[in-house]
Amino acid sequence: MVIRGAEVLCEDYRFRQKDVGMEDGIFVENGRGTVEDASGCYAVPGLVDVHFHGCVGEDISDGSAEGLARMARYEAGRGITTIVPAVMTLPAPRLMEICDMAASFSGEEGAVFAGIHLEGPYLSGKKKGAQNGAFLQKPDAEQMGRFFEAAGGMLRIMTIAPELEGAEEVIRAFSPVCGMSIGHTDCDYETARQAFRWGADGVTHLFNAMNGLHHREPGAAAAALEDSRCMAEMICDGIHAHPAVVKLAYRLLTAERMVLISDSMRAAGMPDGIYTLGGQDVEVRGKHAFLKGTETLAGSASDLMDCVRTAVEEVGLDLASAIRCASENPARRARIFDQCGSITPGKRADLVLLDRQLKVRAVYVRGKKQKIWEDNQQTRL
């Protein structure tokens, strides 16, 4: 297959009009066969979301393979072609069951399931946010080993509060094989810097669930912004972080270290109402999701493509940089950039065509065209 006529986002992150070839599920130098006219569109690599909980009424924390398959179909229909869903803090036996499910999942439709992100249970009670405090634990390297083994190589990222007893051992032991991200943390600047020296290489939703920047107490946010080893997640939905803050963070992180995430929960792709997240009720109103009866933000109702549009339209990022932050960078974060995240011959043929208003016009996963999920569509997948 050949995609012809589009402005293609090349590996140097410049747009050029060129053909894109796809054969046997991968990108190739010279495609053959069917020619698809993409005139007037941008051709960009499929997005990679390494931190979202759910969508279309489903959540990875449910531990349902059928639910995960529905999530994959929805995400693909929105231009997110690779997913690493985040599991909430739950009892250890339940986490083991989800790890087992991740190891055995063999979805063949929709976005490619590349593994899971454990957002807990090794988090600070002071900065737990929407996590269930009843199930928080001290970091335990032996238990972490059991999670890792049960997931069968599908545990891609672990969020941990570095100030907790046992955190150093876990970070040192598992950073060679799993992305270690500091988050939901009450740690100070020096502790965060130390965590990066131990081997942590990321931060979970920068500015959210951590101490804010202060000129005498800079906190984990400052350590993450200044350390070249750290890739920083940002929820760019216009709610979790003001566009001005995202812009300031981008100037320090640049397009090399910012990782756009959605942090979406099961309400994404669904009408307003009451939903659950980690066993707690969440009230969703438009893009806003709060723990019921509180003003505590509880994930997002926006998907990653929505966040890209916000990054371009409200933050002011150029499209090439916004796509890089939502494709290459998360793929690097999950250590799968050799498979996806750019339009490169030999990589999986995951491609999105966007019109000039950044509306998704076509999505290909492994070279196979996907069904588009329209805004406000409520049809079950």
Side-chain angles (χ1 to χ4, degrees):
M1 176 183 291
V2 179
I3 305 297
R4 179 164 293 164
E7 294 292 324
V8 180
L9 187 59
C10 300
E11 292 175 88
D12 61 359
Y13 284 91
R14 295 180 181 276
F15 283 99
R16 297 183 180 89
Q17 191 170 98
K18 56 179 288 188
D19 289 351
V20 178
M22 299 185 286
E23 287 185 10
D24 299 323
I26 64 171
F27 290 119
V28 295
E29 288 282 4
N30 299 299
R32 297 174 296 178
T34 304
V35 175
E36 296 280 350
D37 181 15
S39 300
C41 290
Y42 299 110
V44 301
L47 306 190
V48 180
D49 200 345
V50 295
H51 188 156
F52 81 108
H53 301 281
C55 52
V56 286
E58 307 290 349
D59 191 305
I60 185 66
S61 294
D62 296 339
S64 164
E66 181 180 338
L68 178 55
R70 289 194 66 237
M71 289 163 54
R73 291 194 292 272
Y74 170 82
E75 294 291 315
R78 300 291 289 175
I80 300 97
T81 58
T82 303
I83 56 174
V84 181
V87 183
M88 295 287 285
T89 295
L90 297 166
R94 184 65 177 146
L95 292 177
M96 287 291 289
E97 291 174 2
I98 296 169
C99 288
D100 285 335
M101 186 274 291
S104 61
F105 183 74
S106 58
E108 298 180 356
E109 296 181 350
V112 174
F113 173 65
I116 57 173
H117 174 166
L118 284 186
E119 192 182 6
Y122 309 143
L123 311 177
S124 165
K126 294 180 180 179
K127 295 293 181 179
K128 67 181 186 298
Q131 302 281 342
N132 193 327
F135 305 130
L136 295 177
Q137 301 180 39
K138 290 182 180 179
D140 183 328
E142 289 187 5
Q143 182 184 65
M144 178 65 179
R146 291 192 291 273
F147 291 149
F148 192 83
E149 183 178 359
M154 299 297 278
L155 177 49
R156 298 293 182 182
I157 301 172
M158 179 77 181
T159 296
I160 188 168
E163 71 272 23
L164 300 179
E165 179 184 350
E168 178 179 358
E169 184 181 2
V170 170
I171 293 171
R172 287 188 183 278
F174 291 93
S175 57
V177 293
C178 173
M180 299 301 294
S181 188
I182 67 172
H184 286 278
T185 174
D186 191 44
C187 77
D188 59 18
Y189 171 78
E190 291 297 339
T191 302
R193 290 186 66 199
Q194 186 73 4
F196 296 132
R197 288 193 286 269
W198 295 336
D201 56 358
V203 64
T204 295
H205 42 52
L206 182 65
F207 298 118
N208 295 111
M210 63 183 62
N211 295 320
L213 283 169
H214 187 278
H215 58 288
R216 287 191 297 273
E217 298 177 2
L225 288 167
E226 73 173 8
D227 196 308
S228 62
R229 293 167 290 195
C230 176
M231 299 190 80
E233 295 179 358
M234 292 219 66
I235 310 170
C236 193
D237 61 355
I239 298 169
H240 282 77
H242 191 282
V245 173
V246 179
K247 184 182 295 185
L248 287 171
Y250 178 80
R251 288 180 179 176
L252 292 171
L253 295 166
T254 75
E256 295 183 356
R257 294 200 292 128
M258 180 176 281
V259 177
L260 295 184
I261 63 166
S262 69
D263 201 20
S264 69
M265 45 98 63
R266 69 175 79 240
M270 301 290 284
D272 291 356
I274 304 297
Y275 298 89
T276 60
L277 181 68
Q280 301 182 92
D281 286 342
V282 175
E283 184 177 359
V284 174
R285 302 188 298 273
K287 288 187 176 182
H288 294 77
F290 302 101
L291 287 182
K292 187 177 179 182
T294 77
E295 293 301 312
T296 299
L297 287 171
S300 163
S302 300
D303 59 60
L304 188 57
M305 189 59 78
D306 288 330
C307 294
V308 166
R309 295 189 191 96
T310 299
V312 173
E313 296 169 0
E314 298 184 29
V315 177
L317 271 62
D318 62 273
L319 178 60
S321 296
I323 294 294
R324 181 177 181 178
C325 292
S327 58
E328 174 180 335
N329 292 356
R332 288 189 185 278
R333 186 78 196 94
R335 306 183 184 185
I336 53 174
F337 186 55
D338 61 325
Q339 304 169 35
C340 62
S342 65
I343 301 172
T344 303
K347 288 190 177 183
R348 198 167 59 233
D350 298 343
L351 185 79
V352 180
L353 297 179
L354 301 173
D355 66 17
R356 299 299 175 177
Q357 288 71 48
L358 306 188
K359 183 181 175 73
V360 175
R361 290 304 181 187
V363 180
Y364 300 84
V365 177
R366 299 189 180 98
K368 181 180 178 181
K369 200 168 189 177
Q370 305 293 301
K371 180 180 178 181
I372 301 301
W373 184 273
E374 301 290 347
D375 290 337
N376 302 316
Q377 180 179 340
Q378 299 301 330
T379 303
R380 290 187 66 84
L381 290 167

